[in-house]
Amino acid sequence: MPKFMLIAINGPTEGNDAEYNKWYNEVHAADLMSVNGASSVRRFKVEAQNRIDKPYVNVTEIEGESAEAILKELAEKASDFPDSIDRSSSVFILGREITGES
């Protein structure tokens, strides 16, 4: 089964760091782990960046049939995003692991 890495680069709306982190840790991480094949959710505070002005990187490892199937399931299971997350310039990347046969 292919392995995928979901990388989200985002942050809070101004002045909402505590609320954003509480939501991510207590709600969204559980949403991500509820996706079939999810094996870990890790969060990082950005220390250096180039052309992306966001304070957090969030990485989820998932084994799944396809990127489409993972994104569909995530959309079905994800909780509503609160106002404390700045969605105006948040980005995500879903990449499939490169193996000898990929």
Side-chain angles (χ1 to χ4, degrees):
M1 178 113 25
K3 294 180 181 179
F4 294 85
M5 186 76 61
L6 175 64
I7 301 169
I9 304 168
N10 53 41
T13 51
E14 190 165 335
N16 289 311
D17 246 50
E19 184 181 335
Y20 163 85
N21 283 307
K22 180 176 173 44
W23 170 79
Y24 219 104
N25 292 332
E26 296 178 7
V27 177
H28 198 53
D31 291 342
L32 294 167
M33 285 302 294
S34 75
V35 172
N36 289 323
S39 59
S40 72
V41 173
R42 294 178 298 174
R43 301 190 63 224
F44 300 88
K45 178 79 171 141
V46 172
E47 296 287 323
Q49 54 192 322
N50 182 14
R51 294 182 295 225
I52 297 176
D53 187 22
K54 291 294 175 194
Y56 297 100
V57 176
N58 309 284
V59 180
T60 305
E61 296 179 84
I62 307 168
E63 285 190 30
E65 293 179 27
S66 67
E68 294 80 15
I70 291 168
L71 292 175
K72 181 178 185 277
E73 184 178 358
L74 184 56
E76 292 168 355
K77 293 182 174 181
S79 301
D80 290 335
F81 288 90
D83 292 339
S84 61
I85 184 170
D86 181 3
R87 304 263 336 255
S88 66
S89 59
S90 296
V91 297
F92 79 86
I93 299 165
L94 181 63
R96 186 169 58 120
E97 182 179 38
I98 298 171
T99 63
E101 62 266 356
S102 300

